[in-house]
Amino acid sequence: MSLKDLILISLRAIASNGLRSLLTTLGIIIGVSSVIVLMAIGQGAVKGVLDEINQLGTNLIFIEPGSSEEGGQKGAAGSAITLTREDGQAIIDSQISEVEKVTSMIDFGAQAITSSNNVGVQVVGTELSYSEIRRLNMREGRFIDENDVEKKSLNIVLGHTISEQLFPEDSPIGKNVRISIAGGRILFNFRVIGVISEKGASVGVDEDNAVFIPVSTLQARISFIKNPTGETNVNNIIIQTSEDADESRIKELISQILMDRHKVNSPDFIIESQKDLLQAFSGIANILSLLLGGIAGISLAVGGIGVMNIMLVSVTERTREIGIRRAVGATKSDIIKQFVWEALTLSSLGGIIGIIIGVIISFILDGQFTFDEFTLRTVIQPWSIFVAFAVSFAIGLVSGVYPAFRASRLDPIMALRNE
């Protein structure tokens, strides 16, 4: 029996019981489309995380304080006060090859106040190199420069969203903004010198909802950000390296510099590269994606059981047909091929329809829903389509083998007597 004959016989048998065939393949259709949609959501989450990390800049190394310890209890990472602006300067002075830019920053919550508006903001005390490392573009005006840092000026740069909230109708350039710190106990009047273009959410500082001032301004006017030696405490030091730099070597050199400065035998800080973050986040997101795909795979397996059930019923109903085929010369192999191909055709058709539905739903869902500032994204990977179809094909094969083997073992004489 040729392949063409097998396909024609399979299609004829499926068409003769159209409604039953449709209901049989429904489980496969739902399973395949679910796999594609959930995998697309998982891969969209992966892409979203990677995009947010890449928005930080490129080729970055992050240093933050270690964990604090009080009363025998260890705090969260970054809770200690161990990094200073002078640490960043020491890294610059060491002139490590492949280190291109270094910036230190301190950030905290405050209120930004104008004559008619009052909004909560994240204040970031930093330097010019911050905007270069984070690739910030200016909507108008300029960012903090070296002159601002040197003169400890009361100049301020507004994030896009903060600018819209404080000055919804006018340009903020040249206008005054009061920054209220510690519940109003500390107040500063700043002059707006720039507004950052909209950047979108990213890991770490949300630049759209932040304001930027010279770190030296904080150092000169707020005593509690200094340590006992007079150095300025900072939350982070960000380092940008050259392309294809040996990050392991650079991290080792920086660790040694900081340990020598802090006079400690083990790091009292945490140092990670952007690649470390990418690997960690993508690993978690990929596990989530596989978990979602596995959940959808359960419905696909249930659909396969439905195919096997219907094929067993089909064998019982078509006993006389099987007897006639055997009587006119069909071999056991021909009978096996017939029923296996019928199961494969059912599952393959279901797989194709499921792929089409899954792709359409994935495109519809992309960017249409937002949950707590998280926008649902979908990314359809070609391999997920291939895997979904291959699984549906394999399920058809497995589901058809036993019924086909059972049909081939029917005695031709007994089969012909069946009514």
Side-chain angles (χ1 to χ4, degrees):
M1 190 181 297
S2 68
L3 179 60
K4 179 181 178 181
D5 292 334
L6 287 171
I7 295 174
L8 290 174
I9 292 171
S10 299
L11 291 174
R12 193 179 301 120
I14 291 170
S16 64
N17 293 282
L19 180 59
R20 186 172 72 181
S21 299
L22 176 61
L23 293 175
T24 302
T25 58
L26 192 58
I28 299 293
I29 293 170
I30 293 173
V32 169
S33 58
S34 298
V35 168
I36 291 175
V37 171
L38 291 180
M39 291 292 283
I41 291 173
Q43 291 300 306
V46 173
K47 185 177 185 299
V49 169
L50 298 184
D51 286 346
E52 286 195 8
I53 293 177
N54 285 325
Q55 280 188 17
L56 294 173
T58 56
N59 308 315
L60 303 184
I61 293 175
F62 306 96
I63 309 173
E64 63 177 16
S67 303
S68 62
E69 190 167 340
E70 186 174 346
Q73 293 186 340
K74 199 169 186 179
S79 58
I81 304 175
T82 56
L83 286 183
T84 66
R85 186 187 174 207
E86 287 72 17
D87 289 333
Q89 188 59 48
I91 295 171
I92 295 173
D93 294 340
S94 66
Q95 297 184 338
I96 300 172
S97 62
E98 300 180 309
V99 168
E100 294 187 345
K101 295 183 179 69
V102 179
T103 189
S104 301
M105 57 172 281
I106 180 171
D107 65 287
F108 52 88
Q111 291 294 120
I113 305 168
T114 62
S115 58
S116 57
N117 292 296
N118 183 336
V119 297
V121 298
Q122 185 175 14
V123 178
V124 179
T126 189
E127 307 154 317
L128 173 63
S129 52
Y130 179 90
S131 68
E132 298 170 343
I133 290 174
R134 294 296 296 264
R135 298 183 298 187
L136 301 181
N137 296 315
M138 302 305 298
R139 191 183 79 188
E140 54 182 319
R142 62 175 179 83
F143 198 74
I144 296 162
D145 61 19
E146 298 300 335
N147 189 49
D148 293 317
V149 175
E150 183 179 344
K151 292 183 177 180
K152 306 175 180 62
S153 69
L154 288 169
N155 288 336
I156 191 169
V157 176
L158 306 181
H160 172 82
T161 302
I162 299 301
S163 172
E164 295 295 318
Q165 292 174 334
L166 293 178
F167 303 96
E169 298 179 357
D170 304 320
S171 170
I173 301 299
K175 294 185 171 63
N176 292 329
V177 173
R178 281 183 296 164
I179 297 296
S180 172
I181 304 171
R185 289 189 293 272
I186 302 174
L187 279 170
F188 294 112
N189 284 318
F190 287 89
R191 184 175 65 89
V192 179
I193 60 170
V195 177
I196 296 172
S197 298
E198 185 174 8
K199 186 174 176 65
S202 64
V203 177
V205 175
D206 180 2
E207 276 93 359
D208 291 340
N209 290 286
V211 297
F212 303 85
I213 62 177
V215 66
S216 58
T217 300
L218 292 175
Q219 183 181 27
R221 290 171 172 82
I222 304 178
S223 59
F224 63 75
I225 70 168
K226 296 180 182 180
N227 64 19
T229 64
E231 296 181 336
T232 306
N233 297 316
V234 295
N235 301 113
N236 285 281
I237 297 173
I238 306 175
I239 298 161
Q240 187 170 51
T241 66
S242 57
E243 196 74 31
D244 300 322
D246 186 349
E247 291 184 348
S248 297
R249 181 186 69 86
I250 293 172
K251 287 195 286 187
E252 288 178 5
L253 291 173
I254 291 172
S255 294
Q256 193 58 55
I257 291 169
L258 296 184
M259 285 191 293
D260 290 344
R261 277 185 50 79
H262 299 176
K263 296 180 174 58
V264 294
N265 296 321
S266 60
D268 56 354
F269 51 86
I270 299 169
I271 179 167
E272 293 180 307
S273 70
Q274 190 174 18
K275 291 178 182 177
D276 295 333
L277 295 176
L278 287 170
Q279 289 174 355
F281 279 110
S282 62
I284 294 171
N286 280 324
I287 290 173
L288 172 63
S289 180
L290 291 175
L291 179 62
L292 292 174
I295 293 172
I298 294 173
S299 64
L300 191 53
V302 172
I305 294 172
V307 173
M308 179 180 288
N309 182 50
I310 292 301
M311 293 307 301
L312 286 171
V313 172
S314 181
V315 168
T316 303
E317 290 179 346
R318 295 159 64 186
T319 301
R320 186 173 178 80
E321 175 192 334
I322 294 169
I324 293 173
R325 289 186 181 277
R326 291 297 307 279
V328 297
T331 64
K332 287 185 177 182
S333 175
D334 291 331
I335 300 300
I336 290 174
K337 289 178 183 178
Q338 175 187 342
F339 282 90
V340 168
W341 269 97
E342 192 170 321
L344 285 175
T345 303
L346 268 175
S347 59
S348 297
L349 288 174
I352 292 170
I353 296 171
I355 287 171
I356 295 171
I357 293 174
V359 169
I360 291 173
I361 293 175
S362 297
F363 277 117
I364 291 173
L365 291 177
D366 187 29
Q368 294 300 312
F369 300 96
T370 300
F371 308 97
D372 194 22
E373 298 186 359
F374 171 77
T375 301
L376 179 67
R377 309 294 305 185
T378 58
V379 176
I380 300 174
Q381 298 285 5
W383 60 263
S384 67
I385 295 177
F386 174 78
V387 168
F389 183 77
V391 170
S392 69
F393 188 86
I395 285 175
L397 180 63
V398 172
S399 301
V401 167
Y402 175 69
F405 179 72
R406 182 175 173 181
S408 70
R409 295 194 56 170
L410 289 175
D411 183 272
I413 303 300
M414 298 300 296
L416 284 170
R417 290 179 180 176
N418 186 74
E419 294 296 335

